[in-house]
Amino acid sequence: MSLKEQITEDMKTAMRAKDAERLGTIRLLLSAMKQKEVDERIELDDVAVVAIVDKLIKQRKDSIAAFEQAARQDLADKEKAEMAVLLAYLPARMSAQEVTAAVQSIVAELGAKGPGDMGKVMGAVKAKLAGKADMGQVSAAVKAALAG
């Protein structure tokens, strides 16, 4: 079963269980997926769905930080609940050591020397680790590998 089909089934389950919060979050995800399909006239595969989930999680993290800074814990809690639902659709993430090892092997493959090669390395790393690792963590690992 594809990830897209799994999300649709989870929506039906949430409807039957009358779980309004979970249902709202899943509908938001399905809406973002449908928007991407319509905009680009494509059929989404699992990699594209994971990218959309990643994007929505990043938005939730930014919102949580803003709400906590503004002392709006009620809104931050709502965003945290949505983020928990979205996290269920991501594949298992790589550990920091695995990310560092993967980045170092890619840097060695490309023969990158310094910070000037960051764009080239990030392009290769994104293609290889998309959906498997947090890109903020990946970026930090690339910077560290190219600096040292």
Side-chain angles (χ1 to χ4, degrees):
M1 176 184 288
S2 74
L3 189 55
K4 188 176 170 184
E5 292 167 347
Q6 179 63 45
I7 292 168
T8 304
E9 288 303 312
D10 287 351
M11 181 184 70
K12 292 175 188 174
T13 304
M15 284 175 154
R16 288 185 198 109
K18 296 187 180 4
D19 187 350
E21 292 174 8
R22 183 172 174 78
L23 179 61
T25 304
I26 293 172
R27 282 183 169 159
L28 182 94
L29 173 57
L30 286 169
S31 173
M33 290 164 44
K34 188 70 173 171
Q35 183 69 46
K36 181 117 176 138
E37 285 181 336
V38 169
D39 286 351
E40 298 182 14
R41 294 183 178 95
I42 58 170
E43 184 72 27
L44 293 178
D45 59 352
D46 284 356
V47 174
V49 172
V50 167
I52 291 170
V53 173
D54 253 344
K55 181 179 174 189
L56 292 174
I57 288 173
K58 184 178 184 314
Q59 289 173 351
R60 298 295 164 283
K61 285 179 182 176
D62 294 344
S63 297
I64 290 167
F67 289 143
E68 287 178 345
Q69 187 177 5
R72 291 296 308 266
Q73 195 58 43
D74 56 327
L75 296 174
D77 291 342
K78 182 179 183 291
E79 294 290 318
K80 286 177 184 175
E82 286 182 3
M83 194 166 83
V85 171
L86 293 170
L87 283 170
Y89 298 111
L90 288 179
R93 295 295 195 172
M94 296 172 72
S95 70
Q97 293 82 12
E98 291 172 325
V99 168
T100 303
V103 165
Q104 288 174 344
S105 72
I106 292 172
V107 166
E109 278 177 32
L110 297 175
K113 299 285 185 243
D117 293 328
M118 179 137 182
K120 180 171 65 171
V121 173
M122 279 302 291
V125 169
K126 260 189 176 177
K128 192 169 186 179
L129 302 182
K132 297 177 188 167
D134 177 35
M135 283 301 151
Q137 188 181 33
V138 168
S139 179
V142 170
K143 285 178 186 169
L146 293 176

